[in-house]
C-alpha cells in the first residue's frame, strides 16, 4: 500500500519552533539512554527494518479473528482505512520531527516531542505511561505466543507429554534474557532484516495452508454470520476494530526515527514505504485467506484453526511446523524492539554516560535490570494467557491515542494550517472519529476480557481466544 502525499502537507509558512532551552544540550550530553540505547547511526532502510518488525508480526495471524466480528465488507474496509490513516499519521509525525530538528531541537523520544509541541508537562507523563503499557503488553504477548509456538511443536511430537504452557514460556523468557543484552536499538538492524523476511515467509506458508484447507475434501463448513443480537454485533465490531488498530500500531516511531543518522529529512518516508509494501502483501493475504476458510470459527491464532485439537491438521504438518518455527523466531525480534523504550528509561537512570557502554559500571546494571524486566514479562505471560483479548485492549487504550490522534494534533500545532484548509479538517475529523472509536473499543474490549475471564485459570495450559 504505497500512498503518495502531496507537498502541501508541508506548508512553507510553517512557523519555526522556539529555540531550545540552554540546558537541553547539556542534559542530552549526560543522557545515557540517548547516547547508548538510542544512538543515531542508521540509514533509512534500517528504520524500515525496525518499523516493519514493529508492525508486521504474528499478530497478523489474528486478522481472520478480527474479520469474524466485522464480516467481509466492513472487515476489508476497516483494514484499508486503518492502513491509509496510519501511513498518513506516521508521515505527519516524521514531518513534525524533521521540523523540530531543523530548528535545532531534535527529539528522540515520543514523550519529549509531545510535551514540547503541546507545551504541557502532563503530556510527558501521559505518553510515557501509555508507551510503557503498550511496550510491556506487547513484550508479554510476544513471550506468550512464542511459548505457545513451542507447545504446538512439542505436542505434535509428544501429544501426551508432561510439559505445560508455562514451562515453554519460561524457556522463551530465558532466551529473551540473553538476547536483551544487545545494547542499542541500532544493533538490532540485522535481526530486524531477518525478521522482515520471516514475516513474508510464514505469511506465504499460512496463506498456502489456508488455500489448501479450503479446497480439500476436509474443508470446514463456512459460516460468515455475525452475532445474534445487535448489541453483541456492535460490541464485537468495535473489539475487532481495536484489534486491527493494535496490529497497525507501533507507538514508537520517534524512537525509531531517533536511530537515523542526522540529518533525517526524507529518510523516514522511505522507511514507511518499505514497511507498507510488506504490510500490503501480508495483511490482506492473511486476513482474506484465513477468514475465507474458517469464517466465524477463526481462532485468535489462525495456526490453531489449521491444527485443531479434535481432528487432523488441515495442511501438511511439516509445512505448518515450518511456519510455527518462523513465527517463533520473529517473536524474539518483536520482543526486543518493543523493549527498547523500557531499556532507554532504565539506562537514563542507571548508566553513566561518561563511562563506556561496556564498562563494568554500566554492564552490570544493564544485565540485572533487563533480566528482571524480561522475568516480569514472562511471569505475566504465563499467568494471564489472553492473546486475542489483550490485543483489543492494547489497541483501544494505547495505539489509538498514540498513533491515530496525537500525530494529527502535533501536526496542526506545529504547522498551524489554515482552519479552512483540507489538511486541518481531515486531521480534526480523524481525531474526533478515532477518539470515539477508542472509547467504544475500550468498553467492548474490556467487556470481552471480563466475559472470557471465566474460561481460564491462572497459569492455564491454553491461550484464551
Amino acid at each position: 500500500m504505497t500512498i503518495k502525499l502531496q507537498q502541501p502537507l508541508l506548508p512553507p509558512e510553517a512557523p519555526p519552533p522556539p529555540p531550545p532551552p540552554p540546558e537541553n544540550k547539556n542534559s542530552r550530553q549526560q543522557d545515557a539512554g540517548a547516547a547508548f540505547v538510542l544512538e543515531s547511526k542508521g540509514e533509512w532502510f534500517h528504520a524500515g527494518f525496525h518499523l516493519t518488525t514493529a508492525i508486521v508480526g504474528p499478530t497478523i495471524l489474528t486478522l481472520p479473528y478480527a474479520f469474524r466480528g466485522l464480516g467481509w465488507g466492513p472487515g476489508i474496509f476497516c483494514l484499508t482505512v486503518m492502513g491509509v490513516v496510519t501511513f498518513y499519521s506516521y508521515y505527519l509525525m516524521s514531518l513534525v520531527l524533521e521540523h523540530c530538528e531543523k530548528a535545532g531541537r531534535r527529539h528522540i523520544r515520543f514523550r519529549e516531542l509531545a510535551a514540547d509541541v503541546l507545551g504541557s508537562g502532563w503530556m510527558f507523563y501521559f505518553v510515557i505511561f501509555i508507551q510503557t503499557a503498550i511496550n510491556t503488553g506487547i513484550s508479554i504477548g510476544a513471550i506468550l505466543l512464542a511459548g505457545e509456538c513451542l507447545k504446538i511443536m512439542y505436542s505434535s511430537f509428544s501429544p501426551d507429554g508432561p510439559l505445560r504452557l508455562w514451562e515453554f514460556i519460561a524457556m522463551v523468557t530465558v532466551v529473551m534474557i540473553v538476547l536483551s543484552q544487545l545494547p542499542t536499538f541500532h544493533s538490532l538492524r540485522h535481526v530486524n532484516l531477518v525478521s522482515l523476511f520471516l514475516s513474508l515467509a510464514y505469511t506465504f506458508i499460512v496463506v498456502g495452508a489456508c488455500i489448501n484447507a479450503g479446497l480439500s475434501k476436509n474443508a470446514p463448513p463456512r459460516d460468515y454470520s455475525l452475532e445474534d443480537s445487535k448489541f453483541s454485533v456492535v460490541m464485537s465490531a468495535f473489539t475487532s476494530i481495536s484489534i486491527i488498530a493494535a496490529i497497525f500500531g507501533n507507538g514508537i516511531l520517534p524512537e525509531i526515527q531517533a536511530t537515523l543518522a542526522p540529518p533525517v529529512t526524507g529518510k523516514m518516508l522511505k522507511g514507511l514505504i518499505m514497511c507498507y509494501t510488506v504490510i500490503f502483501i501480508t495483511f490482506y493475504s492473511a486476513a482474506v485467506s484465513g477468514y475465507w476458510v474458517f469464517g466465524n470459527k477463526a481462532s485468535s491464532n489462525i495456526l490453531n484453526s489449521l491444527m485443531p485439537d479434535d481432528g487432523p491438521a488441515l495442511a501438511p504438518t511439516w509445512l505448518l511446523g515450518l511456519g510455527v518455527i518462523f513465527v517463533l523466531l520473529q517473536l524474539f525480534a518483536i520482543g526486543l524492539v518493543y523493549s527498547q523504550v523500557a531499556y532507554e528509561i532504565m539506562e537514563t537512570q542507571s548508566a553513566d554516560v561518561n563511562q563506556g557502554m561496556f564498562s563494568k559500571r554500566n554492564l552490570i546494571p544493564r544485565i540485572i535490570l533487563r533480566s528482571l524486566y524480561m522475568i516480569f514479562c514472562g511471569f505475566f505471560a504465563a499467568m494471564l494467557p489472553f492473546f486475542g483479548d489483550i490485543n483489543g485492549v492494547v489497541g483501544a487504550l494505547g495505539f489509538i491515542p498514540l498513533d491515530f490522534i496525537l500525530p494529527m494534533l502535533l501536526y496542526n500545532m506545529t504547522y498551524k494550517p489554515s482552519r479552512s484548509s483540507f489538511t486541518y479538517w481531515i486531521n480534526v475529523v480523524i481525531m474526533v472519529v478515532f477518539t470515539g472509536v477508542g472509547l467504544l473499543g475500550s468498553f467492548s474490549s474490556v467487556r470481552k476480557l471480563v466475559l472470557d475471564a471465566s474460561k481460564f485459570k491462572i497459569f492455564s495450559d491454553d491461550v484464551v481466544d
Side-chain angles (χ1 to χ4, degrees), residues 126-417:
F126 171 78
V127 171
I128 197 172
F129 173 77
I130 295 294
Q131 268 196 322
T132 302
I134 287 175
N135 294 348
T136 304
I138 292 177
S139 297
I140 291 171
I143 292 174
L144 170 60
L145 192 54
E148 187 184 19
C149 288
L150 282 178
K151 181 176 179 287
I152 289 172
M153 290 189 289
Y154 174 75
S155 298
S156 65
F157 291 106
S158 179
D160 300 317
L163 296 182
R164 298 175 59 83
L165 177 61
W166 70 265
E167 294 173 278
F168 295 108
I169 289 174
M171 297 175 196
V172 171
T173 302
V174 171
V175 176
M176 288 300 299
I177 288 173
V178 175
L179 294 176
S180 69
Q181 304 309 319
L182 288 168
T184 70
F185 204 153
H186 181 64
S187 65
L188 303 181
R189 61 194 183 281
H190 302 303
V191 173
N192 290 338
L193 172 60
V194 173
S195 169
L196 187 154
F197 287 114
L198 287 171
S199 66
L200 290 170
Y202 65 70
T203 299
F204 293 151
I205 288 174
V206 167
V207 171
C210 286
I211 293 173
N212 178 77
L215 298 177
S216 71
K217 62 180 181 181
N218 296 322
R222 292 173 195 145
D223 182 2
Y224 304 117
S225 61
L226 303 179
E227 303 277 354
D228 294 331
S229 71
K230 290 185 178 179
F231 178 77
S232 296
V233 168
V234 172
M235 290 296 98
S236 295
F238 278 102
T239 298
S240 295
I241 291 170
S242 298
I243 290 172
I244 296 175
I247 293 172
F248 271 104
N250 74 82
I252 54 173
L253 186 136
E255 285 79 8
I256 291 174
Q257 190 156 325
T259 66
L260 291 168
V264 300
T265 303
K267 293 179 180 178
M268 202 64 201
L269 178 58
K270 295 178 182 178
L272 281 167
I273 291 172
M274 172 193 287
C275 174
Y276 274 75
T277 300
V278 178
I279 284 175
F280 179 78
I281 294 170
T282 56
F283 281 35
Y284 282 90
S285 59
V288 170
S289 62
Y291 187 60
W292 170 67
V293 178
F294 299 104
N296 59 18
K297 301 300 181 185
S299 169
S300 67
N301 180 350
I302 202 64
L303 287 172
N304 288 338
S305 297
L306 290 165
M307 304 173 70
D309 293 332
D310 55 356
L314 299 177
T317 305
W318 68 267
L319 183 66
L320 294 177
L322 188 61
V324 169
I325 291 171
F326 290 161
V327 167
L328 172 64
L329 293 175
Q330 198 205 18
L331 283 166
F332 292 123
I334 292 171
L336 291 174
V337 164
Y338 278 100
S339 300
Q340 296 306 306
V341 172
Y343 297 160
E344 173 265 310
I345 294 171
M346 292 175 189
E347 300 214 8
T348 298
Q349 302 298 321
S350 66
D352 183 353
V353 74
N354 296 313
Q355 300 192 41
M357 186 183 300
F358 297 102
S359 66
K360 185 178 180 180
R361 161 66 181 81
N362 292 328
L363 185 61
I364 293 176
R366 180 185 305 134
I367 292 172
I368 294 173
L369 291 173
R370 294 189 182 193
S371 298
L372 289 174
Y373 177 78
M374 282 301 167
I375 291 170
F376 171 84
C377 292
F379 176 78
F380 274 91
M383 187 172 70
L384 302 172
F386 284 94
F387 182 62
D389 290 350
I390 286 175
N391 268 352
V393 175
V394 168
L397 297 178
F399 285 123
I400 286 180
L402 292 190
D403 294 330
F404 294 84
I405 298 173
L406 269 179
M408 285 67 180
L409 180 61
L410 295 175
Y411 181 88
N412 282 358
M413 293 292 290
T414 298
Y415 287 100
K416 296 180 171 39

Side-chain angles (χ1 to χ4, degrees), residues 36-169:
F36 295 164
V37 180
L38 299 179
E39 66 174 353
S40 305
K41 293 183 177 180
E43 300 296 334
W44 70 266
F45 45 88
H46 296 143
F49 303 159
H50 301 326
L51 192 61
T52 303
T53 299
I55 299 177
V56 187
T59 48
I60 65 175
L61 303 180
T62 312
L63 282 170
Y65 173 81
F67 267 43
R68 84 181 199 182
L70 293 166
W72 275 116
I76 292 175
F77 175 77
C78 288
L79 188 64
T80 303
V81 168
M82 291 292 186
V84 172
V85 171
T86 52
F87 184 97
Y88 175 69
S89 171
Y90 300 147
Y91 177 63
L92 293 191
M93 192 183 299
S94 72
L95 291 180
V96 173
L97 287 163
E98 290 175 9
H99 180 69
C100 291
E101 180 182 353
K102 289 176 182 176
R105 301 194 317 179
R106 187 176 191 228
H107 293 298
I108 62 173
R109 300 176 175 96
F110 202 150
R111 58 189 184 272
E112 292 176 354
L113 175 68
D116 177 32
V117 174
L118 301 179
S120 172
W122 72 265
M123 184 57 69
F124 178 95
Y125 297 102
F126 171 78
V127 171
I128 197 172
F129 173 77
I130 295 294
Q131 268 196 322
T132 302
I134 287 175
N135 294 348
T136 304
I138 292 177
S139 297
I140 291 171
I143 292 174
L144 170 60
L145 192 54
E148 187 184 19
C149 288
L150 282 178
K151 181 176 179 287
I152 289 172
M153 290 189 289
Y154 174 75
S155 298
S156 65
F157 291 106
S158 179
D160 300 317
L163 296 182
R164 298 175 59 83
L165 177 61
W166 70 265
E167 294 173 278
F168 295 108
I169 289 174

